[in-house]
Amino acid sequence: MRSWTFFLIAAAVGAVVFFGAHLVVQNDYVYFAGYTVLQFVVLATAWNILGGYCGYVNFGSAAFFALGAYSTVALHKLAPMPIPVLILIGGIVSGVVGLGMGYLTLRLRGAFFAIATLALAVVLQTLIVNWDYVGGSRGAYVIRPATMQILGFTINYITYLFLVMLTLAVLAITAARAIERSRLGFGFATIRDDELAAEASGVPTLRLKLIATTLSGGLMGMAGAPFPYYIGFLEPSSAFGLAYAVNSIAMPMIGGTTMWAGPLIGALLLGTLQQIATVTISSAVNLLIVGLLLVVFVIIAPKGIVGLVQDRRRARQKP
Amino acid sequence: MDFQLALLIDAVVAGLLLGGFYAAVTAGITIAFGILDIVNIAHPAFIILGSYIAYIVNTSFGIDPILVSILMLPAFYALGAAVYQVYYLSFEKRGQDALRGLAFFFGLLFITEVGLILTFGVDYRYVNAAYIGGTVQLGPMNLPLRMLVPFVVSMILIGALQYFLARTFTGRAIMAVAQDQFALRLMAADPVRIKRIAFGISIGVAAMAGAFLIVIQPVEPSVGREYIGRVFAICVLGGMGSLPGTVIAAMLLGVVESITSTFYGPSWAPAVAFGFLLLTLAFRPAGILGR
Amino acid sequence: MSEPLLRIEGLSKRFGGFVALDSVDLEVQPGERLGLIGPNGSGKSTLVNCICGTLQNEVGSVRFQGKALDGMSAHERTHIGLARSFQLPRPFASMTLMDNVRIPLIYTVQARAGAQRTLAGLDVRCRELLAMVGLDGKARQWPRDLTQVEMRKLELARAVAAEPKLLIADESMAGLSHSEIDDILALLLRLNEQQGITVILIEHIMSAVMSFSQRLAVLVSGRKIADGEPADVVNDPEVVRAYLGQ
């Protein structure tokens, strides 16, 4: 319980420092860039709940993200709603899709699940492209208000979106950290290690895998829900962008998959790197860099940055 | 004749031709995933790479793309063997979890696609050959040669592969590698070497199929993504590791896709393969010919 | 005669055309020590897998304490008191030995009781279990640091952690030295006599099976060909033929 309080305080401090840094640099671009980085923190953390803790690879992060984004577009046309509500709904939609897909494929070997997630992205993209209500292949405009009232203060809307994503990121990490130290986390780890032995020890593996898929998918949908307001114009190719699929795998793999800090470090590092590279070089080149880093890391440092640090610390303890 | 019926017959025939080609596209994954149990999701990247090599050689030297496909086979075989060696040393040998192996191939897929985009841009590329644009009259139907030629070559390729796997010593060793490591040892064959050969063949066949692809349609780097679902759907539906099963499943998928795009519009076609795959995995994971 | 703990009737299992188990009947009484022997490929492991739910049998029935197990998943069978060790040890590689035995405590013992004890409260019990197999000195180490015999002991400790009524020890001694075998045998005997756990011992090493078992059953080619007093069974002409005929 004490570690919990400590963590929440640490998270709040981190948030204030991050937010404060943005206040010092009086420039809206910083908010835009910061939003993207935080969005990757959420995606990477969400991916890691299924991928890192349970060992099931999801290649369809973009699909879950886009589901969240498109449920916002659909609802936006129906009736304007506050963003937290949209996030909740986006999370539920993606979570339910995750649960359904898990139910269909999780009884099979892990490789089949991975392939099915690849399939899901394309099926959903085809559905969206052919669904005129949300703009079809042409895309849809979502008008972003200029300002927002919070607690009597009037703030820039992009600042508001940034704060929302910051809250979501802290929430995601808190959830991941809580899972790690719970019965659930132990159960997830047995699935990753050996499913037969897990069952023999009484672990209900299918149920735990479904929980992980639902949580992971739901968080990705939550990350996607505010996206239409951020981007202003949503088209299938941007919502289902390759960057989401590759980054949400590469960030945890590079940061380290066994601990909540891994995806956080990976996302902050790679996310910032990409923000810089997009401005200075080109967005295609920075995706290439991410792909190369991913391959290099899985071959040379399979435990990621967190693993490298832990190994070094252990080596120092045992001379 | 009834117009709808004529459309349907056209769609079925076109689907069968397309399916024959799909079989060639999938043959490599049938070997890699079905027989060797290597989840090579980068397979489509090698297909598209084959398409671009065929494009380069064709536009620079005017060599027929089908001929190019045969000429580049050794190079892609070597590439495949090299990729397997890295995979083996980094993942199989260390007993690393499947997670990282999958991420490795995903990275390869991604690097290839982005690399091609950076080099060639996202414009569609196409090849020139005498038969592209020609047709053959068969009864009331016009069969486009750009479909018929890849179909025929694909069938020859599959036949040759099947002969190789069933009748040659190396082929049998490849079939044995999946089922019975013990029998393999009796044959005095080194499993790693056998797998390396098989994976090399798998990539070689993928590249050849890529050359066929660019005969059928213009190609741009992200076309490969559509093939991820197709090849795995066909491989699983065909019963994993069976070439005859692959051909049947490929033709089935080709026909369904062709009918869908004729009657509902081409924008729905990509979902067909993936829908097939999801349904197969959910209800018939042993494939159509499975137990 | 009381209701048997485990009652298997007409159990058959095929893999494609291959008949792994052919109409097997077997009863195990509470508190009994049963030895199960048979040549390689005779269906012993398939039988264990069908009892424990790793495989589902299509023909025949498995009843545990009078309750039919058909359609129950493996973890549900563990919850009602069936535990097994694996022929090739399958530890949770990313966890310390403590956490390895902690898993059945959380997911079977606590789930069974419906209790919400804290995770830290289990430490004492984890230590006890490791001490029982003589691994308490390595509680904070990882499975990769263990020797063969220690790995088998961990496997047994994890199975016993689930507080089973029936323990199936699947070739827990293969490849071990004489003193190590005696070690494991003594452990199994203690579990049976002091904790009242019924034990099915599947083993190739005849001396071990003979000294441990009160009753002996023989599987050959998926069929049970003998079942009775160990001394009678080993002299049964059919058993002798099955073993020497190979």
Side-chain angles (χ1 to χ4, degrees):
Chain A
M1 213 49 220
R2 181 184 283 173
S3 73
W4 253 118
T5 326
F6 174 78
F7 176 73
L8 282 177
I9 292 169
V13 169
V16 167
V17 168
F18 202 1
F19 187 54
H22 285 86
L23 280 180
V24 173
V25 190
Q26 289 286 340
N27 185 346
D28 265 1
Y29 172 75
V30 181
Y31 290 118
F32 276 100
Y35 177 93
T36 310
V37 174
L38 287 170
Q39 176 181 281
F40 278 130
V41 171
V42 180
L43 279 175
T45 305
W47 185 90
N48 202 46
I49 289 177
L50 184 65
Y53 298 167
C54 297
Y56 275 75
V57 184
N58 178 2
F59 289 118
S61 310
F64 292 101
F65 176 84
L67 262 179
Y70 269 99
S71 37
T72 292
V73 171
L75 290 168
H76 178 78
K77 299 194 77 172
L78 216 62
M81 272 176 239
I83 286 192
V85 177
L86 291 170
I87 288 179
L88 201 64
I89 296 174
I92 292 171
V93 170
S94 292
V96 167
V97 169
L99 177 67
M101 209 190 64
Y103 190 76
L104 287 180
T105 56
L106 279 174
R107 273 165 290 189
L108 304 168
R109 288 170 38 216
F112 286 119
F113 173 79
I115 296 163
T117 57
L118 276 172
L120 181 77
V122 177
V123 172
L124 284 178
Q125 190 169 357
T126 308
L127 289 178
I128 297 287
V129 162
N130 287 286
W131 192 18
D132 284 331
Y133 181 72
V134 292
S137 57
R138 284 169 292 109
Y141 284 97
V142 174
I143 313 271
R144 179 172 65 221
T147 56
M148 176 76 192
Q149 292 274 350
I150 300 181
L151 308 169
F153 293 100
T154 304
I155 57 169
N156 211 332
Y157 205 78
I158 188 66
T159 314
Y160 170 61
L161 285 178
F162 173 83
L163 280 175
V164 164
M165 200 41 83
L166 184 63
T167 315
L168 208 53
V170 172
L171 254 171
I173 292 170
T174 311
R177 188 173 180 277
I179 288 170
E180 252 169 55
R181 296 166 180 229
S182 68
R183 299 157 46 102
L184 200 59
F186 274 109
F188 285 171
T190 65
I191 293 172
R192 182 185 59 208
D193 281 357
D194 191 324
E195 276 192 51
L196 271 186
E199 276 280 325
S201 302
V203 181
T205 52
L206 180 61
R207 195 190 311 154
L208 293 195
K209 283 187 279 182
L210 289 177
I211 292 173
T213 325
T214 311
L215 274 178
S216 170
L219 272 175
M220 287 175 182
M222 291 171 94
F227 186 64
Y229 284 94
Y230 170 80
I231 194 97
F233 171 68
L234 187 69
E235 50 180 347
S237 58
S238 71
F240 286 92
L242 261 186
Y244 300 115
V246 74
N247 271 313
S248 46
I249 296 171
M251 287 166 173
M253 286 283 182
I254 290 170
T257 53
T258 52
M259 199 188 161
W260 59 272
L264 176 64
I265 293 170
L268 290 179
L269 218 63
L270 278 185
T272 315
L273 186 77
Q274 285 178 71
Q275 284 305 315
I276 296 165
T278 307
V279 180
T280 53
I281 319 172
S282 83
S283 59
V285 171
N286 83 49
L287 284 183
L288 187 65
I289 295 172
V290 174
L292 286 170
L293 277 176
L294 172 63
V295 170
V296 168
F297 260 84
V298 292
I299 293 176
I300 294 172
K303 288 190 219 153
I305 294 171
V306 168
L308 289 179
V309 173
Q310 282 174 342
D311 285 353
R312 173 167 289 191
R313 203 181 289 163
R314 221 167 272 152
R316 212 177 286 159
Q317 277 168 0
K318 277 189 257 175
Chain B
M1 195 162 46
D2 185 2
F3 179 67
Q4 287 284 320
L5 186 66
L7 263 184
L8 181 66
I9 294 174
D10 262 0
V12 170
V13 173
L16 287 175
L17 293 183
L18 194 62
F21 158 70
Y22 283 172
V25 175
T26 312
I29 212 68
T30 299
I31 295 172
F33 182 46
I35 299 176
L36 306 180
D37 203 25
I38 298 170
V39 194
N40 176 17
I41 52 173
H43 193 75
F46 295 103
I47 295 171
I48 301 299
L49 214 51
S51 296
Y52 272 87
I53 303 287
Y55 157 76
I56 295 167
V57 177
N58 178 263
T59 46
S60 315
F61 306 103
I63 301 176
D64 182 89
I66 304 290
L67 184 61
V68 178
S69 79
I70 297 166
L71 293 178
M72 68 188 177
L73 188 58
F76 274 91
Y77 171 84
L79 177 64
V83 169
Y84 177 74
Q85 197 61 23
V86 173
Y87 176 78
Y88 169 72
L89 290 175
S90 310
F91 308 104
E92 274 193 352
K93 192 180 176 190
R94 283 198 230 154
Q96 280 282 351
D97 47 331
L99 182 74
R100 280 162 230 292
L102 274 170
F104 168 72
F105 283 119
F106 183 73
L108 284 189
L109 172 72
F110 195 75
I111 291 169
T112 313
E113 183 176 330
V114 178
L116 284 174
I117 290 175
L118 284 173
T119 320
F120 296 98
V122 290
D123 302 332
Y124 279 95
R125 307 284 165 160
Y126 51 88
V127 289
N128 291 303
Y131 44 82
I132 294 176
T135 56
V136 169
Q137 193 74 27
L138 188 78
M141 276 172 304
N142 270 321
L143 298 182
L145 276 173
R146 67 173 178 86
M147 300 290 298
L148 196 58
V149 170
F151 172 81
V152 171
V153 191
S154 296
M155 288 298 106
I156 296 172
L157 176 62
I158 299 265
L161 268 179
Q162 179 65 15
Y163 177 84
F164 168 75
L165 287 178
R167 295 292 156 83
T168 66
F169 180 82
T170 313
R172 284 184 190 165
I174 289 172
M175 294 303 284
V177 104
Q179 287 145 13
D180 200 344
Q181 299 269 347
F182 183 67
L184 200 64
R185 230 166 291 143
L186 285 184
M187 292 166 82
D190 167 17
V192 177
R193 198 182 129 255
I194 294 297
K195 285 175 118 176
R196 192 165 56 230
I197 293 173
F199 199 77
I201 292 171
S202 154
I203 298 305
V205 173
M208 284 184 80
F212 306 164
L213 171 64
I214 202 165
V215 171
I216 294 177
Q217 62 165 80
V219 168
E220 55 105 4
S222 69
V223 164
R225 259 183 270 163
E226 292 171 20
Y227 281 88
I228 300 175
R230 272 190 198 124
V231 295
F232 282 102
I234 293 168
C235 177
V236 176
L237 199 60
M240 306 276 294
S242 144
L243 283 177
T246 299
V247 173
I248 295 170
M251 298 219 167
L252 192 63
L253 182 68
V255 170
V256 176
E257 263 189 22
S258 168
I259 290 176
T260 310
S261 67
T262 304
F263 291 96
Y264 301 95
S267 63
W268 284 102
V272 172
F274 291 97
F276 245 70
L277 174 63
L278 285 179
L279 290 176
T280 311
L281 287 179
F283 300 110
R284 198 108 187 92
I288 26 175
L289 300 179
R291 279 165 256 137
Chain C
M1 203 167 155
S2 63
E3 167 76 26
L5 185 66
L6 181 75
R7 185 204 292 262
I8 297 169
E9 280 173 322
L11 187 69
S12 297
K13 179 75 192 174
R14 294 164 165 277
F15 298 106
F18 174 71
V19 182
L21 290 176
D22 185 5
S23 192
V24 173
D25 298 316
L26 187 69
E27 284 187 5
V28 184
Q29 301 301 326
E32 205 180 2
R33 295 194 300 271
L34 172 75
L36 181 65
I37 61 169
N40 274 328
S42 59
K44 300 184 303 283
S45 285
T46 308
L47 183 62
V48 177
N49 286 335
C50 283
I51 296 172
C52 294
T54 310
L55 290 171
Q56 296 282 346
N57 56 295
E58 292 87 22
V59 185
S61 76
V62 180
R63 303 178 78 83
F64 184 70
Q65 295 187 300
K67 185 175 164 44
L69 300 185
D70 307 280
M72 264 175 124
S73 58
H75 72 269
E76 290 169 321
R77 298 186 194 203
T78 307
H79 287 184
I80 60 168
L82 267 162
R84 70 177 294 186
S85 69
F86 287 95
Q87 197 174 347
L88 295 170
R90 310 181 75 120
F92 300 123
S94 73
M95 300 179 193
T96 60
L97 266 53
M98 284 285 275
D99 288 342
N100 263 275
V101 293
R102 196 192 305 273
I103 295 298
L105 293 180
I106 299 175
Y107 276 97
T108 300
V109 180
Q110 286 195 346
R112 203 184 276 149
Q116 291 290 322
R117 271 181 280 171
T118 60
L119 295 181
L122 298 173
D123 277 9
V124 180
R125 179 73 184 129
C126 290
R127 290 229 175 251
E128 265 174 37
L129 284 160
L130 290 177
M132 175 191 82
V133 296
L135 285 177
D136 42 339
K138 300 201 166 188
R140 298 279 170 207
Q141 276 169 289
W142 275 267
R144 61 171 176 271
D145 305 325
L146 298 185
T147 63
Q148 260 304 313
V149 64
E150 287 171 335
M151 205 80 106
R152 306 292 173 92
K153 287 178 175 173
L154 174 64
E155 193 77 16
L156 287 173
R158 195 176 61 187
V160 173
E163 294 175 11
K165 298 186 181 74
L166 173 65
L167 170 66
I168 303 176
D170 194 355
E171 301 197 18
S172 298
M173 306 167 208
L176 301 185
S177 73
H178 282 296
S179 65
E180 289 167 343
I181 290 172
D182 290 343
D183 236 20
I184 301 256
L185 270 183
L187 171 64
L188 288 174
L189 205 61
R190 272 206 312 278
L191 290 172
N192 175 259
E193 287 178 341
Q194 291 169 13
Q195 303 189 24
I197 299 173
T198 310
V199 179
I200 299 180
L201 178 68
I202 297 173
E203 204 44 78
H204 274 303
I205 300 156
M206 279 314 284
S207 58
V209 182
M210 292 306 283
S211 76
F212 179 81
S213 313
Q214 297 164 326
R215 187 159 65 92
L216 195 56
V218 186
L219 269 188
V220 174
S221 310
R223 283 177 46 248
K224 189 178 84 172
I225 59 165
D227 186 348
E229 287 286 322
D232 299 342
V233 168
V234 286
N235 292 320
D236 184 312
E238 202 180 348
V239 174
V240 173
R241 208 178 318 121
Y243 266 83
L244 298 179
Q246 304 185 44

